[in-house]
Amino acid sequence: MIKPVIVIHGGAGALTRSAMDKELENNYRQSLKAIVSAGQAVLANGGSALDAVSEAVRQLEENPLFNAGHGAVFTHEQTHELDACIMDGATLNSGAVCAVNHIRNPILAARKVLENSEHVLFTGKGAEAFAKAQHMEMVEPDFFSTATRLAQLKRVSQSAQVMLDHDGQALSAEKPGDPLDPDKKYGTVGAVAIDANGNLAAATSTGGMTNKMVGRVGDSPIIGAGCYANNATVAISSTGTGEAFMKAVAAYDVSALMAYTGASLNDAMNKVVMEKLPKIAGSGGMIGVDAKGNIALIFNSEGMYRGFGYVGDEPRVGIYRESEL
């Protein structure tokens, strides 16, 4: 019998202990636990893996601590462009949206694409028109804005930099804040799960890069890069330097190593995250669950917001490289 499990991530990056804020760290840990618990509840009540990852990522999108949905980072033009993807391992059916700024929960729109469209990926105005036709909740773009993200954009803009995902979120060293290095933090969120029927699913969502050029799309909505699920092998959600994950087709590469070489999930993910990605300046991590219910949470940065919970067990969460889970 497969024991259902949900695994989530909320971004990865380099650890700055001098920027530690205990209250904020506790908020992250409590948020991660609550979201894992929500995913566990879906699975415990007979929900599908697809249902579990949808709900987990929806809650991550609603939490301004994470760079997805409300709390998304700003583009160079002080706008928002959100991306999301979801994939059903039982059928390989997939749905994704990118460069949207009126859809309250991009992950739910991505699921509508999976369920109600012959297409896989919609972008921009076309994605929003599809979402409206599906009666998705629409919002004004400022719904996604927070004072923290705007301050981050101004700080990054002054230095003429482009920060991957939600780099630059932390406060200055004079006022401790986010425990991850503000210059090396990747804010994509995601979830993977296996349900009691042995079906896998994966979902990924992001606000993208701080100060990015309008129209830039990273790996999060790309099947095989930021998100992949196949019942024969594994479900994967990625977080990190999106361009590198796209070049490496990183999520699919884990599945391919498992399918073609017989590698375990842990070995395959280690190969991709710890060996292949660093060779092309790929920093970040992945979460995964295989067809037998084994899980892996591996990152080559110093920290990754992460958590998991098998049905019936207490949620376990971690941030730092030290063994916490």
Side-chain angles (χ1 to χ4, degrees):
M1 291 290 293
I2 296 292
K3 190 171 184 179
V5 64
I6 178 86
V7 189
I8 68 171
H9 71 75
L15 186 63
T16 304
R17 290 193 178 278
S18 62
M20 180 72 71
D21 182 311
K22 290 297 185 181
E23 181 179 357
L24 183 58
E25 179 185 342
N26 183 64
N27 288 342
Y28 272 107
R29 290 184 184 276
Q30 293 305 314
S31 293
L32 291 168
K33 286 181 180 179
I35 294 166
V36 170
S37 294
Q40 288 176 297
V42 171
L43 295 170
N45 291 327
S48 68
L50 204 62
D51 293 335
V53 299
S54 296
E55 179 58 15
V57 172
R58 184 195 70 80
Q59 291 197 21
L60 285 161
E61 289 177 340
E62 290 290 320
N63 190 320
L65 289 174
F66 303 102
N67 173 26
H70 177 59
V73 300
F74 286 89
T75 69
H76 180 71
E77 300 297 327
Q78 203 169 313
T79 59
H80 299 285
E81 292 187 344
L82 286 66
D83 311 323
C85 179
I86 192 167
M87 188 166 185
D88 181 0
T91 62
L92 302 187
N93 288 338
S94 313
V97 296
C98 65
V100 300
N101 61 10
H102 287 88
I103 303 171
R104 176 166 181 154
N105 293 111
I107 196 61
L108 299 185
R111 183 161 179 180
K112 289 294 186 181
V113 175
L114 180 155
E115 295 174 333
N116 299 331
S117 172
E118 63 183 3
H119 306 306
V120 170
L121 174 63
F122 282 91
T123 186
K125 293 181 179 179
E128 295 187 342
F130 176 83
K132 288 180 182 178
Q134 296 296 311
H135 308 292
M136 302 297 300
E137 183 175 359
M138 310 299 286
V139 296
E140 291 302 312
D142 63 4
F143 170 81
F144 304 109
S145 304
T146 64
T148 298
R149 299 299 189 200
L150 183 58
Q152 173 188 330
L153 174 68
K154 291 179 178 178
R155 184 167 59 251
V156 172
S157 297
Q158 289 172 356
S159 61
Q161 298 178 21
V162 174
M163 296 295 185
L164 291 166
D165 293 352
H166 61 177
D167 295 4
Q169 178 182 342
L171 303 177
S172 69
E174 288 76 22
K175 186 176 180 181
D178 196 316
L180 294 185
D181 186 323
D183 295 333
K184 299 179 180 179
K185 180 159 168 264
Y186 314 110
T188 305
V189 307
V192 296
I194 189 167
D195 59 35
N197 295 317
N199 291 319
L200 296 169
T204 307
S205 182
T206 190
M209 301 164 61
T210 295
N211 203 35
K212 68 179 180 179
M213 296 293 292
V214 169
R216 179 265 183 184
V217 177
D219 67 305
S220 295
I222 306 301
I223 297 297
C227 183
Y228 188 74
N230 186 331
N231 273 12
T233 51
V234 69
I236 296 284
S237 178
S238 308
T239 175
T241 44
E243 282 70 13
F245 279 72
M246 284 191 284
K247 293 172 186 177
V249 198
Y252 177 73
D253 199 19
V254 175
S255 175
L257 285 167
M258 295 173 68
Y260 301 148
T261 73
S264 68
L265 168 57
N266 191 71
D267 287 348
M269 191 182 290
N270 262 301
K271 180 75 172 178
V272 173
V273 174
M274 306 306 290
E275 296 182 31
K276 290 189 171 186
L277 283 168
K279 291 179 180 178
I280 53 173
S283 178
M286 291 177 167
I287 56 172
V289 57
D290 70 16
K292 296 180 180 179
N294 300 306
I295 66 171
L297 305 88
I298 296 174
F299 49 99
N300 59 34
S301 52
E302 292 186 42
M304 181 170 74
Y305 295 121
R306 62 201 189 277
F308 72 90
Y310 285 92
V311 168
D313 294 347
E314 285 295 314
R316 299 175 64 181
V317 303
I319 298 175
Y320 312 114
R321 177 167 293 283
E322 297 92 317
S323 178
E324 297 182 275
L325 299 180

